[in-house]
């Protein structure tokens, strides 16, 4: 295999003794670019010249104008000087893509990657990493970091409220490093240029004179979507991307368009032929197949990767004319687009509905027009629906010879809308100036403390330097003081007085930070510590291990909200059937959230852990049950998606399951991996691969520094946990039966809480007619005022299941096995279950004991539970 072209260039220059001549290297680069069919544009030449002169460069050039060539020139310059260079981007996907591109050009030995998930060839002279990785290294090592040059792609993320600090910190810390900052939507950077130049003593050159290779035409359309698309399709302005700001809206629009037949029959026939060999799964797969056969694509982050890839491939082949998607294309999507259509100029930003910023608008609009294919790109913005309807009414009146209504179209009350003036303002506006959102965190402070500099002095400097116009007392200084105080209180940091007169003391770490601190999953160390809290002898031990890992993962909110809805809907129907008054039903439902197993155990432990590990301040534990619930419900991926109606966000669920599988593989020590735990991890990996293997394949390939191979799509059967290869599942697995037993026990608690004696008697528990339940309830309510049925009362921690009860267990449960009405029940394959009942103060004062007939449950495929005793806790 021959060396990559840029390596050959460096080798030739070295052989000629001209490697230390920047002009010769730059000339060689320009010649290489031309020979490879990518002759440099004037602005690329200008940027490269300034880079080779040692200046900082801010490349504010339009989308499609070739910023990647400017980055290549920067890496080549650093490599010719035997300096290390970094490439940073906001997304792991962009980082890995750039990694492979640079490997192809400079050779595998010259390029490494660090993303937090993987580290490949981390000592290489060119490192690709996420912005946060470089920022953490800069905080630790400051100007001493081995970084001769840094390329920051998508630099407009500097203004991101949550992540902008990672783009700002390297500019503050790496004062000896040459910077190349690139983005199409930077806005006014005069303040940034001045501060960067003053801090580093280097010239800062702004390259913003690039001509967009494919100019844009902007239009405001007062037309409904079918009419607009028909006009654009007839004019040949496709592929068309309809931009929405919610995944559900994109899918809904695609389904509506599929029923209108906007795409011509011949076009649809070509798509049908192209997808004839593709295997579509159930759920969203069948929805997508129907859309594609109608000539309509859909593309957003909630889709499975293989479906997104299919849509991209069909569009690249010129087979899809219309794609409905979200604004993810603004961060670089692999779909060629001629026309971008904004269906709205309003988005929800996590707090409120608001107009798009000029930066957001131009970032998305810039995707229109394909260099080398189009001579112009088109951007259409649709008017709001009420304005379109008003225009239709006016046209209808005009056609009928009537006077058009003079009133403006009514805007729905309380709705944020937009007008043609909003559109004009956004088209004409430059992107907003980059604004700092710097704020200290415990992790940032500890990164500085782990370095060799005077931490106290440097942190105070950083607090002032991060603000372009610092007042005498900045909020950053107050925030810093609070963090340092908490670290000292936790004995993580100590103050060491100086022995020299007039000199201040030093802040020092009491103990070293973990080597991979802030680079990997920050709560993994807590998960390892929490595993010691579990009882390996418990029948739920394998699921409890899973729950600890799940509590450290990011929440898949669409799924959790669907779980909550499912639980609330079931509780509503049950309480309504039992005649519970509306107000009481509402109060009970408000208390129900998604399942949070082990929350009572983990949350106090986490609070204690935080006091001695304050670098996790700001992070929260998130108990949830996704993998666990799938095991307890014998779910496959498809059955979970179908049951909770989550076809629109399959990709979110798959990414969560993939993260769970990787965390289980990486975090769990061998001592925890019992046969059952290992079986669960193996099942989960097989399930993810059966749904879409690309995420795991990519992860495994990246770990070896390889590019994941694209394999043919092959349908593999999904299996529920406990299901064998013949698709046969036991009537009830142990975990399913345990979950159903908990449900049955709490059902009795709810009926007691609402005094539904008749409903309790109807359960048919042997020996428990209405009179028996009434007597037991009288005794209970003579002792307590109310029974709690809130989320805490539903906790699985209040239930104890003994699979092989002995005589002492029966005695402790208050069960007289010599009683003729009980004796026959406790023989055979049975479990003993105990449910603690909380009072209104949250105290466990009574308990309900029950027997589970395992054999009968297996035959009936649902839990058969018999109440045995209702008595105060500790009575027996």
């Amino acid at each position: 295999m021959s060396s990559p072209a840029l390596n050959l260039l460096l080798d030739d220059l070295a052989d000629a003794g001209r490697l230390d001549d920047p002009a010769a290297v730059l000339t060689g680069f320009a010649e290489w670019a031309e020979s490879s069919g990518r002759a440099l544009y004037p602005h690329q030449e200008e940027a490269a010249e300034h880079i080779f002169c040692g200046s900082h460069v801010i490349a504010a050039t339009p989308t499609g104008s070739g910023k990647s060539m400017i980055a290549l020139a920067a890496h080549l310059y650093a490599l010719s000087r035997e300096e290390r260079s970094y490439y940073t981007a906001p997304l792991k996907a962009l980082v890995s893509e750039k990694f492979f591109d640079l490997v192809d050009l400079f050779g595998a030995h010259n390029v490494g990657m660090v993303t937090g998930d993987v580290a490949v060839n981390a000592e290489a002279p060119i490192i690709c990493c996420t912005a946060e990785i470089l920022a953490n290294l800069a905080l630790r090592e400051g100007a001493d970091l081995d970084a001769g040059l840094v390329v920051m792609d998508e630099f407009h993320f500097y203004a991101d409220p949550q992540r902008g600090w990672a783009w700002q910190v390297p500019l503050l810390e790496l004062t000896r490093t040459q910077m190349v900052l690139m983005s199409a939507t930077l806005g006014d950077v005069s303040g940034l240029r001045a501060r960067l130049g003053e801090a580093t003593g280097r010239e800062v050159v702004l390259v913003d004179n690039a001509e967009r290779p494919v100019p844009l035409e902007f239009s405001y359309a007062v037309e409904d979507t079918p009419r607009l698309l028909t006009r654009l399709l007839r004019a040949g302005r496709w592929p068309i991307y309809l931009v929405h700001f919610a995944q559900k809206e994109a899918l809904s629009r695609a389904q509506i368009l599929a029923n209108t037949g906007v795409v011509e029959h011949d076009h649809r026939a070509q798509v049908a032929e192209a997808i004839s060999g593709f295997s579509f799964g159930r759920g969203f797969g069948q929805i997508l197949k129907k859309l594609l056969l109608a000539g309509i694509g859909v593309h957003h982050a909630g889709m499975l990767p293989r479906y997104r890839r299919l849509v991209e491939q069909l569009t690249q082949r010129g087979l899809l004319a219309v794609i409905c998607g979200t604004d993810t294309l603004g961060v670089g999507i692999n779909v060629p687009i001629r026309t971008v259509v904004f269906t709205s100029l309003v988005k929800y930003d996590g707090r409120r509905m608001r107009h798009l910023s000029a930066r957001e608008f131009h970032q998305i609009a810039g995707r229109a027009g394909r260099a080398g294919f189009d001579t112009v790109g088109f951007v259409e913005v649709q008017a709001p629906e009420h304005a379109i309807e008003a225009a239709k009414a006016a046209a209808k009146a005009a056609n009928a010879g009537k006077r058009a209504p003079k009133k403006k179209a009514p805007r729905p009350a309380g709705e944020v809308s937009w007008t043609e003036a909003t559109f004009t303002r956004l088209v004409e506006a430059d992107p907003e100036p980059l604004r700092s959102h710097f704020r200290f965190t415990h992790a940032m402070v500890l990164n500085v403390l782990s370095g060799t500099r005077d931490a106290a002095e440097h942190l105070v400097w950083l607090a002032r330097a991060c603000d372009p116009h610092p007042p005498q007392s900045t909020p950053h200084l107050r925030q810093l003081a609070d963090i340092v105080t908490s670290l000292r209180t936790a004995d993580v940091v100590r103050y060491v007085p100086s022995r020299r007169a007039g000199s201040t003391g030093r802040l020092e770490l009491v103990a070293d930070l973990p080597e991979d601190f802030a680079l990997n999953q920050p709560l993994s160390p807590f998960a390892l510590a929490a595993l010691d809290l579990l009882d390996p002898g418990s029948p739920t031990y394998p699921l409890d291990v899973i729950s600890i890992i799940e509590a450290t993962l990011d929440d898949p909110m669409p799924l959790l909200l669907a779980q909550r809805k499912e639980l609330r809907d079931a509780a509503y129907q049950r309480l309504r059937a039992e005649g519970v008054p509306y107000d009481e039903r509402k109060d009970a439902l408000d208390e129900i959230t998604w399942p949070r197993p082990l929350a009572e155990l983990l949350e106090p432990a986490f609070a204690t852990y935080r006091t001695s590990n304050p670098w996790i301040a700001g992070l929260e534990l998130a108990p949830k049950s996704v993998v666990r619930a799938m095991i307890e419900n014998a779910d496959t991926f498809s059955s979970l998606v179908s049951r909770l109606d989550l076809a629109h966000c399959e990709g979110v669920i798959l990414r969560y399951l993939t993260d769970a599988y990787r965390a289980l593989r990486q975090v769990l020590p061998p001592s925890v991996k019992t046969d059952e735990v290992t079986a669960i991890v193996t099942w989960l990996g097989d399930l993810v691969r059966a749904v879409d293997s690309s995420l795991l394949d990519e992860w495994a390939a990246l770990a070896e520094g390889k590019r994941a191979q694209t394999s043919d799509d092959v349908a593999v059967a999904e299996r529920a946990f406990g299901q064998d290869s013949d698709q046969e599942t036991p009537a009830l697995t142990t975990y399913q039966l345990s979950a159903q037993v908990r449900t049955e026990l709490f059902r009795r608690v709810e009926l007691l809480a609402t005094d539904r004696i008749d409903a309790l008697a109807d359960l048919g528990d042997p020996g428990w007619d209405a009179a028996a339940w009434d007597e037991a309830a009288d005794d209970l309510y003579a002792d307590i005022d109310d029974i709690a049925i809130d989320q805490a009362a539903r906790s699985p921690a209040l239930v104890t299941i003994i699979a092989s009860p002995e005589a002492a267990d029966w005695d402790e449960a208050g069960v007289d096995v010599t009683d003729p009405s009980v004796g026959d029940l406790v023989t055979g394959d049975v479990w003993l279950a105990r449910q603690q009942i909380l009072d209104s103060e949250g105290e466990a004062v009574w308990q309900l004991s029950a027997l589970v007939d395992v054999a009968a449950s297996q035959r009936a495929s649902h839990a058969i539970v018999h109440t045995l005793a209702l008595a105060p806790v500790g009575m027996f």
Side-chain angles (χ1 to χ4, degrees):
M1 178 175 159
S2 61
S3 298
L6 285 176
N7 269 11
L8 285 175
L9 170 61
L10 291 175
D11 290 343
D12 290 344
L13 288 169
D15 292 342
R18 304 185 65 191
L19 193 58
D20 58 352
D21 180 357
V25 179
L26 178 56
T27 299
F29 176 69
E31 292 172 351
W32 169 84
E34 186 169 5
S35 67
S36 63
R38 296 185 287 179
L40 298 180
Y41 293 127
H43 72 275
Q44 291 173 326
E45 287 185 4
E46 179 188 354
E49 287 171 0
H50 288 299
I51 290 170
F52 275 74
C53 287
S55 301
H56 299 304
V57 170
I58 301 176
T61 57
T63 301
S65 61
K67 288 187 288 291
S68 60
M69 292 297 284
I70 297 175
L72 280 183
H75 292 303
L76 182 69
Y77 174 60
L79 205 57
S80 71
R81 293 167 55 86
E82 298 185 346
E83 292 180 339
R84 170 173 283 185
S85 61
Y86 281 82
Y87 169 86
T88 73
L91 303 178
K92 293 177 184 177
L94 293 180
V95 170
S96 60
E97 179 181 318
K98 184 60 64 174
F99 166 74
F100 289 117
D101 289 345
L102 293 177
V103 164
D104 291 341
L105 292 168
F106 290 103
H109 63 288
N110 278 328
V111 187
M113 175 173 59
V114 182
T115 66
D117 285 336
V118 294
V120 179
N121 197 20
E123 301 303 317
I126 300 175
I127 296 295
C128 300
C129 64
T130 51
E132 285 82 357
I133 296 293
L134 178 62
N136 286 324
L137 293 172
L139 287 167
R140 285 190 177 191
E141 301 187 38
D144 292 332
L145 179 67
D146 182 11
L149 187 147
V150 166
V151 176
M152 289 191 181
D153 206 353
E154 307 290 346
F155 187 73
H156 58 273
F157 267 77
Y158 179 101
D160 185 271
Q162 281 72 48
R163 302 180 61 195
W165 69 273
W167 278 259
Q168 186 174 5
V169 161
L171 302 186
L172 297 172
E173 294 281 8
L174 305 180
T175 53
R176 294 199 289 269
T177 299
Q178 185 179 3
M179 297 290 176
V180 178
L181 316 177
M182 307 190 304
S183 173
T185 55
L186 290 181
D188 180 10
V189 293
S190 55
L192 175 66
R193 288 182 68 186
R195 293 191 300 276
L196 182 58
E198 181 181 351
T200 62
R202 288 182 192 253
E203 181 185 19
V204 184
V205 177
L206 174 63
V207 177
D208 64 349
N209 56 353
E211 291 289 335
R212 181 182 168 89
V214 181
L216 297 179
E217 286 187 7
F218 293 89
S219 302
Y220 189 73
V222 189
E223 300 171 271
D224 61 27
T225 304
R227 185 184 297 271
L228 172 61
L229 292 182
T230 299
R231 173 169 63 81
L232 294 173
L233 289 169
R234 287 176 178 172
R237 296 182 178 183
W238 55 275
I240 303 165
Y241 201 105
L242 267 71
V243 182
H244 305 74
F245 295 98
Q247 294 172 4
K248 277 190 173 181
E249 290 177 6
L251 178 58
S252 176
R253 178 86 63 169
Q255 290 173 315
I256 293 171
L257 291 175
N259 293 327
T260 61
V262 293
V263 179
E264 294 180 356
H265 174 76
D266 290 346
H267 212 128
R268 299 198 300 267
Q270 294 179 48
V271 176
E273 182 180 355
I275 65 174
S276 60
F278 191 88
S279 175
F280 292 90
R282 290 179 290 172
F284 181 78
Q286 294 306 309
I287 296 173
L288 178 62
K289 181 178 181 180
K290 180 180 178 181
L291 294 175
L292 293 177
L293 290 174
I296 305 295
V298 65
H299 191 291
H300 57 70
M303 295 167 59
L304 295 181
R306 67 192 184 102
Y307 293 149
R308 287 204 312 273
R309 192 165 56 246
L310 174 64
V311 172
E312 291 166 7
Q313 291 168 348
L314 292 173
T315 311
Q316 288 161 358
R317 291 170 57 186
L319 298 179
L320 277 183
V322 179
I323 308 99
C324 298
T326 58
D327 56 335
T328 51
L329 81 163
V331 206
I333 188 176
N334 189 24
V335 175
I337 299 162
R338 179 168 293 172
T339 302
V340 168
V341 175
F342 287 82
T343 60
S344 172
L345 292 179
V346 172
K347 69 179 291 186
Y348 181 69
D349 64 5
R351 296 183 300 110
R352 61 188 176 90
M353 295 295 294
R354 61 166 176 80
H355 288 138
L356 297 181
S357 68
R359 172 170 289 109
E360 291 166 333
F361 177 78
H362 287 289
Q363 193 72 29
I364 299 168
R367 295 294 166 184
R370 304 162 296 176
F373 294 91
D374 300 324
T375 56
V376 63
F378 302 94
V379 180
E380 299 267 357
V381 174
Q382 284 185 283
E385 186 175 345
H386 67 270
I388 293 173
E389 291 302 317
K392 284 183 179 178
K396 184 176 181 181
N399 290 335
K402 298 179 181 179
R403 181 177 297 178
K406 293 183 178 181
K407 291 184 178 180
K408 290 184 178 180
R411 189 180 75 187
E415 182 179 292
V416 178
S417 190
W418 66 97
T419 64
E420 188 169 4
T422 313
F423 159 74
T424 302
R425 174 180 60 81
L426 288 173
V427 171
E428 295 176 352
D430 290 327
E432 296 79 7
L434 296 177
R435 176 171 165 254
S436 168
H437 291 278
F438 184 94
R439 59 185 179 85
F440 276 110
T441 64
H442 283 71
M444 291 172 62
V445 172
L446 286 164
N447 266 315
V448 173
L449 284 161
S450 67
T452 58
R453 296 169 293 183
D454 185 321
E457 180 180 313
H458 187 75
L459 285 167
V460 171
W461 169 84
L462 189 58
R464 292 195 169 107
C466 66
D467 192 331
H469 306 289
Q472 287 298 107
S473 176
T474 75
H476 301 309
L477 285 173
R478 292 192 295 271
Q479 191 178 43
L480 175 61
D482 291 342
I483 291 175
V484 171
T485 299
S486 71
L487 292 171
R488 291 186 65 186
T489 301
D491 291 329
V492 175
V493 170
R494 61 174 170 240
Y495 176 75
V496 181
S498 174
R499 296 180 179 178
R500 292 181 296 170
S503 176
T504 58
R506 292 175 57 86
L507 287 175
E508 293 182 353
L509 283 172
V510 173
D512 292 335
L513 290 175
E515 184 177 351
D516 58 355
F517 167 70
L519 298 184
N520 294 308
Q521 177 56 253
L523 295 185
S524 293
F526 169 75
L528 283 173
L531 291 169
D532 292 336
L533 301 175
L534 301 181
D535 175 12
S538 168
T540 61
Y541 177 73
L543 292 188
D544 293 341
V545 169
I546 303 303
S547 290
I548 286 179
I549 297 300
E550 288 202 79
T552 66
L553 302 177
D554 292 337
D555 287 339
M557 285 310 299
L559 189 151
L560 299 186
L561 294 174
Q563 284 183 328
R564 185 180 69 181
K565 182 179 184 300
E566 181 185 47
L567 291 174
R568 288 182 174 180
D569 288 349
Y572 174 82
Q573 295 299 332
R574 188 170 63 252
L575 295 173
R576 184 182 181 186
E578 293 164 2
V580 177
Y582 172 79
D583 289 342
E584 293 182 27
R585 289 202 310 262
K586 185 176 183 302
D587 290 342
L589 295 179
D590 287 343
E591 294 289 341
I592 297 176
T593 185
W594 50 82
R596 302 178 72 246
L598 301 189
E600 294 80 3
L601 173 71
L602 295 178
E603 287 175 344
F606 186 68
T608 301
Y609 184 84
R610 192 198 302 270
T611 61
S612 55
N613 300 272
W615 50 81
I616 62 174
L619 299 174
E620 295 296 336
L621 206 64
K624 52 189 161 290
S625 181
V626 178
V627 177
R628 180 173 186 147
M630 293 181 71
I631 294 170
E632 291 177 332
N633 295 321
D635 267 326
T636 63
F637 181 86
S638 296
S639 67
L640 174 72
V641 168
S642 175
R643 181 165 54 81
L644 298 180
D645 191 22
L646 293 170
H648 63 285
C649 56
E650 285 182 336
V652 174
I653 302 169
L654 181 66
R655 279 193 295 275
Y656 176 85
L657 296 179
T658 304
D659 288 345
Y661 173 69
R662 293 196 302 214
L664 290 166
R665 286 277 308 273
Q666 291 176 319
V667 176
L668 295 183
S671 60
V672 173
K673 293 181 179 178
T674 64
D675 290 345
E676 194 75 356
V677 171
T678 300
I680 290 173
V681 176
T682 301
W683 163 77
L684 182 57
D686 290 344
L687 180 69
V688 169
R689 290 188 180 91
V691 176
D692 189 333
S693 66
S694 59
L695 291 177
L696 289 181
D697 291 343
E698 181 180 355
W699 175 54
L702 285 177
E704 299 178 8
K706 300 177 181 178
R707 193 189 300 266
Q709 298 297 313
T710 301
S711 57
D712 294 334
D713 181 72
V714 179
V716 179
E718 301 173 21
R719 291 188 301 112
F721 182 74
Q723 190 174 48
D724 59 29
S725 58
D726 295 327
Q727 305 297 299
E728 294 183 0
T729 309
L732 282 176
T733 66
T734 299
Y735 302 125
Q736 288 177 265
L737 182 55
S738 298
Q740 291 188 16
V741 167
R742 292 196 300 271
T743 299
E744 285 296 320
L745 292 177
F746 197 75
R747 182 183 178 191
R748 288 155 173 78
V749 173
E750 282 187 314
L751 292 174
L752 281 168
T754 54
D755 201 27
R756 300 292 296 165
I757 300 302
D758 291 342
L760 285 164
D762 290 342
L763 296 175
D765 293 344
W768 286 83
D769 56 14
W773 277 113
D774 196 39
E775 181 181 354
D778 286 344
D779 292 342
L780 186 153
Y781 280 109
D783 190 26
I784 64 175
D785 293 329
D786 291 297
I787 296 176
I789 56 172
D790 58 9
Q791 196 69 28
R794 299 170 187 272
S795 170
L798 298 176
V799 178
T800 302
I801 297 177
I802 303 173
S804 300
E806 299 178 353
D809 298 318
W810 294 116
D811 290 342
E812 185 178 348
V815 178
D816 182 5
V817 294
T818 65
D819 185 332
S821 65
V822 174
D824 292 340
L825 293 175
V826 298
T827 59
D829 189 4
V830 297
W831 291 354
L832 171 63
R834 295 200 300 269
Q835 166 79 59
Q836 295 185 57
I837 301 173
L838 302 186
D839 63 12
S840 57
E841 302 298 322
E843 298 292 330
V845 290
W846 276 62
Q847 72 177 14
L848 185 148
S849 300
L851 174 143
V852 182
D853 189 329
V854 177
S857 298
Q858 291 289 359
R859 289 193 298 271
S861 295
H862 65 83
I864 304 297
V865 175
H866 302 307
T867 301
L868 296 175
L870 180 64
V873 172
M875 178 177 177
F876 301 101

